[in-house]
Amino acid sequence: MEYLSNRQIVLAEELSGRLAERHFAVRVTPVRNRLPDEVLIRVIFAQVPPAARAVMTTTTPFPRTLPGDGIFTAVVGEVVDAPQGGPPPAAIVTCFGGWEQYTLAPVSQVREVPARQRLYEHLGLLGLNGLTAYFGVSSVGRADSGETVVVSAAAGGVGHLAGQIAQIAGARVIGITGSDAKNRLLVNELGFAAAVNRRSDTFTRELRDLCGNGIDVYFDNTGGPVLDTVLPLMAPYGRIVCCGATATYDSADDAVRAPGPRGIPQLVINNRLVIEGLLTSDFLDEWPAALERLARWAAEEQLVALTDLRDGLDAAPAALVAMLAGDNLGQMVVRIGPDPQPS
Ligand SMILES: NC(=O)c1ccc[n+]([C@@H]2O[C@H](COP(=O)([O-])OP(=O)(O)OC[C@H]3O[C@@H](n4cnc5c(N)ncnc54)[C@H](OP(=O)(O)O)[C@@H]3O)[C@@H](O)[C@H]2O)c1
């Protein structure tokens, strides 16, 4: 194997306070020899996930990122070398990797995907976030026709897809975001019935007025104060899908980071609510059917995927910092390498 050097972004120091670009460093090392069961992948696009921030400090099912470690994320790329029986050289694959030019991953965790014009869609619409939106709305939230569904971080990677999937199920969908411009887009271009700004002084009143008969399904991407606001507005037998807790990942405020929300258990008892955690990996057997359905909805233009594409490995830290401040529209992705040469 020819000599390859790997440029990667690592966590430079223990976090104190909110995440900033200074917490990251660039490291260049030789690509190590692959173990017999590993696939060597040239990374083309990497996701910018809020979970990358969560694993720097909070408890998640994933290993903690320590100073010197690479950044936890999903990637799509091209196979350079793989064991017998694995994907062939030049196949397009996704896996968990890092913000780096080359990733080594166990063959059992590498998924071959079709080559398509916009490869980054394997990280959004046809990747973990699309699947999360799909299973959160259909299997956990069980959103149904005529119901009121509220989605937080509704213009984000998971949220804008979850809101549209709930509309396909026939629900009336209300988005929550941190910006009026995002809200206009959700209503004018993605068919949301309404959208409210979580930063507005009138946020609670507006949401209450829009949900007069209560909220049947709350797709919660944020936790924190937004969940506190939504909980008392739930309808009897409502379902809360706990997908993510972005509000707590990077907060300097102990009250926000503390486990919540307020109102448990009484509000849950009063309204016979179900609050259920979602881990998309639980639905592995159903991924192929879900991916087929997501692709079909997109082809039929029932589902519009928004991508916030940033250019270059070095742009990744700033992209994550921006996302945690709400400065992303749709799925945030960075391009790390060029598309494969046409054969
Ligand atoms: N359970 C699973 O299997 C699974 C799988 C994938 C992702 N997730 C989770 O899904 C969630 C969404 O992920 P994503 O990649 O699509 O990210 P995203 O929603 O595109 O980006 C994060 C968004 O969170 C909002 N936000 C940031 N700080 C906030 C705060 N303090 N309070 C309320 N909202 C805040 C911002 O939107 P606004 O400013 O517009 O509100 C920001 O754009 C994350 O929590 C992620 O961890 C879960």
Side-chain angles (χ1 to χ4, degrees):
M1 173 79 38
E2 66 173 303
Y3 172 84
L4 294 172
S5 86
N6 192 23
R7 188 176 160 80
Q8 65 175 165
I9 307 282
V10 297
L11 184 64
E13 54 182 272
E14 193 75 48
L15 281 195
S16 58
R18 301 197 63 184
L19 187 69
E21 285 180 63
R22 68 180 159 77
H23 293 119
F24 297 91
V26 173
R27 186 168 66 195
V28 180
T29 54
V31 174
R32 68 167 168 79
N33 289 334
R34 103 180 148 71
L35 299 175
D37 72 334
E38 283 182 332
V39 182
L40 174 62
I41 297 157
R42 179 180 71 80
V43 177
I44 300 171
F45 292 103
Q47 220 186 357
V48 180
R53 171 64 184 89
V55 295
M56 292 173 191
T57 38
T58 61
T59 312
T60 73
F62 306 107
R64 173 124 185 241
T65 302
L66 298 170
D69 288 346
I71 305 304
F72 171 80
T73 189
V75 301
V76 60
E78 173 182 48
V79 172
V80 177
D81 191 24
Q84 196 96 45
I92 301 298
V93 293
T94 66
C95 64
F96 283 109
W99 288 343
E100 55 190 349
Q101 292 173 307
Y102 291 92
T103 272
L104 283 157
V107 67
S108 59
Q109 292 171 25
V110 172
R111 190 165 60 93
E112 191 170 347
V113 294
R116 51 190 298 125
Q117 198 189 352
R118 296 183 291 270
L119 286 176
Y120 53 75
E121 288 185 342
H122 291 301
L123 301 176
L125 171 70
L126 302 176
L128 192 61
N129 279 358
L131 290 163
T132 299
Y134 178 88
F135 291 114
V137 170
S138 57
S139 304
V140 180
R142 303 183 309 284
D144 208 350
S145 184
E147 290 192 319
T148 296
V149 173
V150 170
V151 181
S152 56
V158 172
H160 82 291
L161 297 175
Q164 293 177 80
I165 293 168
Q167 289 174 47
I168 293 170
R172 170 177 171 263
V173 181
I174 295 163
I176 298 172
T177 79
S179 113
D180 292 340
K182 288 182 184 179
N183 287 348
R184 279 193 291 277
L185 182 139
L186 293 182
V187 172
N188 295 336
E189 294 181 36
L190 300 187
F192 282 58
V196 280
N197 188 334
R198 65 180 168 86
R199 300 181 203 266
S200 158
D201 292 341
T202 54
F203 167 53
T204 306
R205 181 161 49 80
E206 283 180 64
L207 191 61
R208 194 186 313 116
D209 290 349
L210 283 164
C211 304
N213 296 324
I215 298 166
D216 298 296
V217 179
Y218 172 46
F219 192 114
D220 186 18
N221 282 312
T222 62
V226 174
L227 177 55
D228 279 335
T229 302
V230 172
L231 189 63
L233 305 180
M234 294 299 293
Y237 303 101
R239 287 88 69 198
I240 298 180
V241 182
C242 293
C243 173
T246 308
T248 66
Y249 297 165
D250 194 40
S251 178
D253 181 346
D254 286 344
V256 172
R257 295 184 72 92
R262 288 193 294 271
I264 288 183
Q266 199 57 53
L267 288 168
V268 177
I269 299 166
N270 296 358
N271 283 322
R272 286 79 87 210
L273 303 178
V274 174
I275 302 180
E276 188 171 341
L278 162 69
L279 270 190
T280 303
S281 49
D282 285 350
F283 297 91
L284 222 46
D285 293 349
E286 297 172 56
W287 282 26
L291 289 169
E292 218 176 282
R293 197 165 278 188
L294 289 164
R296 180 162 50 79
W297 285 335
E300 291 167 350
E301 295 178 3
Q302 294 194 68
L303 193 52
V304 174
L306 302 175
T307 305
D308 192 329
L309 184 58
R310 312 275 165 127
D311 199 29
L313 178 67
D314 293 354
L320 181 58
V321 172
M323 165 182 250
L324 294 166
D327 185 16
N328 68 300
L329 188 56
Q331 175 69 48
M332 180 85 103
V333 169
V334 281
R335 180 184 277 285
I336 291 187
D339 281 349
Q341 297 290 333
S343 48

